[in-house]
Amino acid sequence: MQTLTIPRRFRGPPNSGNGGYVCGMLARQIAGAAEVTLRAPPPLETELDIVELETGEWELRQGTAAIAIGRAVTLDVSRLECATYAEAVEAAKRTPLKPHDHLLPMCFVCGPERAPGDGLRLFAGPLPQGRSGVFAVPWRPAPSLAADDGLVAPEFVWSALDCPTGYVSQFDPETGNFTVLPILLGRLSVRIDRRPRPGERCVVTSWKIGSEGRRLVAEAALFGEEENLLAVGRAIWIVVDRQVQLGMK
């Protein structure tokens, strides 16, 4: 049986793994596009089992408790938003989630208190008027994110498509209002067409596609240095109690 241990570096909330990273690690078992649903906060520094089910799905377990379940899917994104690297740099300067408002400041993907090269530091912000409801952020993957083949490991592509969807899901394009909500990733689907090189000037764009009750749905795309599409993702975020977000309930 395969096992997975989530290092503290890859946390989202203080005591659980970043959703995108964990989803990406489980998706390593699945060829092609995958959908991973998180069932419980993934614990840090704890040996978890990776189990193949008779259905062909893969489950991440702590003992008998399901942490996440993944399956192969066909992921087609009908709407695709792009931005240049320079536009993404300017958008990040307009990020509506300021450091003092951030609910998870040590998040591996978007935490403002993570040092460059340690966290991804993806602070998505809105593109100018005329591109209402579209967020963008630049990304130059650090050398520590490389896999054995020299390209960025797939779990970090999943990570990069995670928090930018969380940012834009809290934005109302009609009013321009941004509401800081305690949210947790519930499901992430990703299709990777190509992985970037460490140091490559990449752009992540994201846009909200709907909401229902506590569920917020957004999509994202990753583009490479030549503005070529590398990957797409679709995320479902769940609005939770603040104590739940922190893992205290």
Side-chain angles (χ1 to χ4, degrees), residues 224-247:
E225 201 156 86
E226 298 177 359
E227 299 182 26
N228 52 315
L229 180 66
L230 302 182
V232 293
R234 179 177 299 125
I236 297 176
W237 291 84
I238 310 298
V239 180
V240 298
D241 183 87
R242 173 63 168 156
Q243 299 303 303
V244 172
Q245 186 190 43
L246 292 175

Side-chain angles (χ1 to χ4, degrees), residues 14-241:
N15 298 303
S16 59
N18 169 265
Y21 171 83
V22 175
C23 291
M25 289 298 291
L26 184 58
R28 277 179 168 268
Q29 311 300 321
I30 302 166
E35 173 190 278
V36 179
T37 301
L38 293 164
R39 298 286 179 80
L44 303 173
E45 306 293 348
T46 301
E47 189 173 274
L48 306 172
D49 296 324
I50 298 176
V51 180
E52 185 175 11
L53 306 180
E54 294 181 356
T55 59
E57 298 171 314
W58 290 84
E59 197 166 75
L60 185 65
R61 293 180 184 168
Q62 184 180 17
T64 60
I67 300 298
I69 187 166
R71 65 186 183 97
V73 294
T74 299
L75 181 61
D76 294 317
V77 175
S78 58
R79 173 184 176 184
L80 197 60
E81 298 287 353
C82 59
T84 66
Y85 191 83
E87 287 172 334
V89 169
E90 292 304 310
K93 294 177 183 178
R94 295 188 291 268
T95 181
L97 189 54
K98 305 305 180 184
H100 61 276
D101 293 325
H102 204 293
L103 298 182
L104 301 173
M106 290 298 291
C107 173
F108 170 65
V109 175
C110 68
E113 294 183 10
R114 298 298 288 265
D118 176 35
L120 302 190
R121 294 177 57 83
L122 299 185
F123 313 132
L127 290 169
Q129 291 183 353
R131 302 287 301 278
S132 179
V134 182
F135 277 33
V137 62
W139 182 38
R140 299 191 70 169
S144 66
L145 306 182
D148 291 342
D149 61 4
L151 300 176
V152 172
E155 60 267 26
F156 300 122
V157 175
W158 280 70
S159 301
L161 295 170
D162 172 12
C163 294
T165 61
Y167 273 55
V168 79
S169 71
Q170 300 173 82
F171 181 75
D172 185 338
E174 294 184 2
T175 64
N177 293 332
F178 183 87
T179 305
V180 180
L181 299 169
I183 58 174
L184 289 174
L185 183 67
R187 175 178 294 165
L188 184 60
S189 306
V190 168
R191 188 192 79 226
I192 300 176
D193 298 333
R194 185 179 77 78
R195 291 179 284 130
R197 306 179 310 274
E200 184 171 347
R201 287 159 53 103
C202 299
V203 169
V204 181
T205 57
S206 57
W207 53 97
K208 186 175 180 179
I209 61 172
S211 62
E212 181 179 353
R214 296 189 302 118
R215 292 159 50 98
L216 311 174
V217 187
E219 294 178 337
L222 172 66
F223 296 90
E225 201 156 86
E226 298 177 359
E227 299 182 26
N228 52 315
L229 180 66
L230 302 182
V232 293
R234 179 177 299 125
I236 297 176
W237 291 84
I238 310 298
V239 180
V240 298
D241 183 87

